[in-house]
């Protein structure tokens, strides 16, 4: 007995010493898996953010950029092989995964929230928190965003006719009349790309009725496309381009045969065919590329899409991407907190490639070029933000059917109800 004990004791001591000198595998950090759609410059910008996180935290990550990430993610979730974190392009997808129990809440007012309430409130306004909230719990952190409520103009052109930046819809119509009296064509619309017309409608509609009917029209179809509120918004839209031979560059035929970039070029070229152009903040990139000698903010600029009903002011219509978590652990929590913080968003906003406009209000506006700073200010101060409605609707509705209906209204505004009824017929079969 004693001889056996003496043999076992040295072995036990050696085992304890070995264990003390070698940390167990469980203490090693987990590598965080991330799935998104971004490649190229978009991926490069995101990797700047992730690399800085890894350097500071010591936590490794693996990133997969896949243009079909939505399809890939769906199959992986079904196979119980979801990534730790994914970037989703629509809030509707966040809601769907949350309601099927696949997502981990990022914040629900608990002590172990992945993103503490203090961090969330410090960086984001209520509009952005609401965007990622499903049934009272916060699941989707807005990672980057863009505005589609930017109306482009030329300051020198405005001064030449004694005009002012329009604050209301009536102001916009008055400015059009001022341009016509000066012998100029006020507006260029790239209606060959039907989605530009959906953006027009969405900005008008949410300014007339607010976000609730807007969502009921596009998401749940509780509001029909023949509803009086939709009709009133379409009538406003018709106002802005009627009479087309005086208000539209190229008239009806030119408008319907011109793409969105060429329509902007018509305003910025040396002998402009029009003076105003509506589309999103991303148009500044095309302006810089196609007219490098023009100075942003001096030769061209944008104002907020005018208000229609003062009750709703100037909601921002736009798009964006939301980060969600499929697993819960300290590493995932640290990365989510990082993505919600000032440093990560500032790095992303000033990335060498793939820089973004951040909805995080802690990012200094000084990191942006002038027009991007204006867009960031618009986004971070938005009291109401709604996602692009045609992207929220079923593809059959928000794609071809709505594109065709609005193009038809441009072509034949007197019969707009026929176009809306055709759109409603498609919607009735699609929800």
């Amino acid at each position: 007995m004693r001889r056996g004990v003496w043999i076992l004791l040295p072995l036990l001591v050696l085992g304890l010493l070995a264990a003390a000198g070698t940390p167990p595998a469980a203490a090693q950090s987990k590598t965080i898996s991330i799935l998104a759609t971004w490649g190229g410059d978009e991926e490069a910008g995101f990797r700047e953010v992730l690399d800085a996180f890894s350097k500071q935290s010591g936590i490794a990550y693996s990133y997969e950029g896949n243009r079909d990430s939505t399809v890939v993610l769906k199959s992986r979730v079904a196979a119980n092989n979801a990534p730790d974190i994914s970037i989703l392009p629509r809030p509707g997808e966040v809601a769907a995964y949350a309601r099927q129990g696949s997502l981990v809440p990022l914040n629900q007012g608990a002590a172990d929230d992945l993103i503490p309430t203090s961090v969330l409130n410090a960086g984001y306004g209520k509009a952005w928190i609401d965007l990622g909230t499903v049934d009272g719990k916060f699941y989707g952190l807005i990672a980057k965003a863009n505005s589609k409520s930017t109306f482009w103009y030329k300051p020198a052109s405005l001064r030449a006719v004694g005009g002012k930046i329009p604050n209301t819809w009536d102001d916009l119509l008055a400015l059009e009349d001022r341009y016509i009296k000066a012998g100029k064509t006020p507006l260029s619309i790239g209606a060959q790309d039907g989605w530009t017309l959906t953006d027009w409608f969405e900005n008008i509609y949410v300014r007339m009725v607010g976000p609730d009917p807007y969502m009921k029209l596009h998401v749940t179809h509780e509001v029909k496309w023949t509803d009086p509120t939709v009709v009133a918004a379409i009538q406003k839209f018709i106002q802005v381009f009627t009479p087309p031979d005086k208000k539209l560059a190229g008239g009806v035929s030119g408008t319907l045969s011109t793409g969105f970039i060429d329509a902007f070029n018509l305003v910025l070229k040396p002998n402009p065919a029009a003076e105003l152009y509506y589309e999103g903040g991303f148009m500044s990139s095309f302006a810089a590329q196609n007219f490098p000698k023009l100075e942003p903010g001096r030769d061209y600029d944008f104002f907020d899409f005018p208000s229609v009903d003062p009750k709703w002011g100037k909601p921002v219509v736009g798009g964006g991407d939301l980060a969600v978590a499929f697993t819960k652990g300290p590493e995932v929590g640290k990365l989510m907190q990082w993505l919600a913080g000032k440093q990560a968003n500032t790095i992303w906003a000033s990335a060498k490639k793939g820089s973004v406009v951040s909805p995080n209000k802690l990012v200094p506006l000084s990191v942006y070029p002038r027009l991007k700073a204006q867009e960031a200010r618009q986004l971070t101060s938005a009291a109401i933000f709604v996602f692009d409605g045609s992207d929220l609707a079923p593809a059959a509705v928000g794609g071809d059917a709505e594109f065709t209906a609005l193009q038809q209204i441009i072509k034949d505004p007197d019969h707009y109800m026929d176009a809306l009824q055709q759109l409603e017929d498609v919607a009735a079969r699609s929800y």
Side-chain angles (χ1 to χ4, degrees), residues 59-135:
I59 299 172
Y61 73 89
S62 64
Y63 172 80
E64 178 185 351
N66 191 314
R67 290 297 179 192
D68 293 322
S69 63
T70 300
V71 176
V72 172
L73 180 63
K74 190 173 183 179
S75 64
R76 289 190 187 175
V77 170
N80 292 319
N81 187 32
D84 296 309
I85 291 172
S86 188
I87 310 295
L88 303 182
R90 296 179 184 89
E93 292 181 39
V94 177
Y97 281 120
R99 286 173 178 150
Q100 73 182 37
S102 298
L103 296 183
V104 175
L106 303 179
N107 182 282
Q108 52 184 336
D112 61 345
D113 281 336
L114 294 183
I115 302 178
T117 302
S118 58
V119 173
L120 198 58
N121 289 338
Y124 300 91
K126 183 177 183 297
W128 299 106
I129 296 173
D130 288 347
L131 187 71
T133 299
V134 181
D135 300 331

Side-chain angles (χ1 to χ4, degrees), residues 234-307:
I234 289 296
Q235 290 171 340
K236 289 286 187 187
F237 175 52
I238 291 171
Q239 265 188 324
V240 86
F241 67 80
T242 304
D245 59 325
K246 292 184 177 181
K247 288 191 173 183
L248 293 178
V252 169
S253 61
T255 295
L256 291 172
S257 61
T258 303
F260 79 101
I261 298 175
D262 289 335
F264 194 28
N265 292 345
L266 291 178
V267 173
L268 297 184
K269 69 179 188 175
N271 296 305
E275 307 304 317
L276 301 169
Y277 176 80
Y278 158 69
E279 234 334 305
F282 52 82
M283 295 308 301
S284 63
S285 298
F286 295 111
Q289 177 181 324
N290 296 337
F291 300 92
K293 293 184 179 179
L294 298 184
E295 182 180 332
R298 186 194 69 181
D299 297 315
Y300 59 92
D301 205 338
F302 71 79
F303 52 81
D304 294 351
F305 197 101
S307 68

Side-chain angles (χ1 to χ4, degrees), residues 134-147:
V134 181
D135 300 331
K137 297 179 182 179
F138 181 74
Y139 289 92
L141 174 70
I142 187 76
K144 65 173 185 174
N146 62 76
S147 169

Side-chain angles (χ1 to χ4, degrees), residues 172-247:
L172 177 61
L173 297 177
L175 179 58
E176 286 189 306
D177 290 341
R178 188 177 287 269
Y179 274 123
I180 291 171
K181 288 177 182 178
K184 299 176 182 293
T185 301
L187 196 61
S188 178
I189 299 178
Q192 185 180 54
D193 296 306
W195 57 265
T196 64
L197 303 180
T198 70
D199 292 345
W200 268 98
F201 170 77
E202 289 154 11
N203 273 279
I204 295 170
Y205 191 64
V206 74
R207 281 162 171 71
M208 291 183 70
V209 301
D212 185 53
Y214 179 97
M215 297 299 285
K216 288 179 177 177
L217 173 66
H218 293 104
V219 179
T220 62
H221 195 225
E222 293 172 80
V223 172
K224 296 183 178 181
W225 283 95
T226 51
D227 187 86
T229 60
V230 176
V231 171
I234 289 296
Q235 290 171 340
K236 289 286 187 187
F237 175 52
I238 291 171
Q239 265 188 324
V240 86
F241 67 80
T242 304
D245 59 325
K246 292 184 177 181
K247 288 191 173 183

Side-chain angles (χ1 to χ4, degrees), residues 307-337:
S307 68
V308 179
D309 184 335
K311 176 181 178 180
W312 299 110
K314 298 177 182 177
V316 176
V317 178
D321 300 276
L322 299 99
V324 298
F326 286 91
T327 65
K328 183 173 185 177
E331 295 87 0
V332 173
K334 287 179 181 178
L335 179 51
M336 278 298 189
Q337 284 194 50

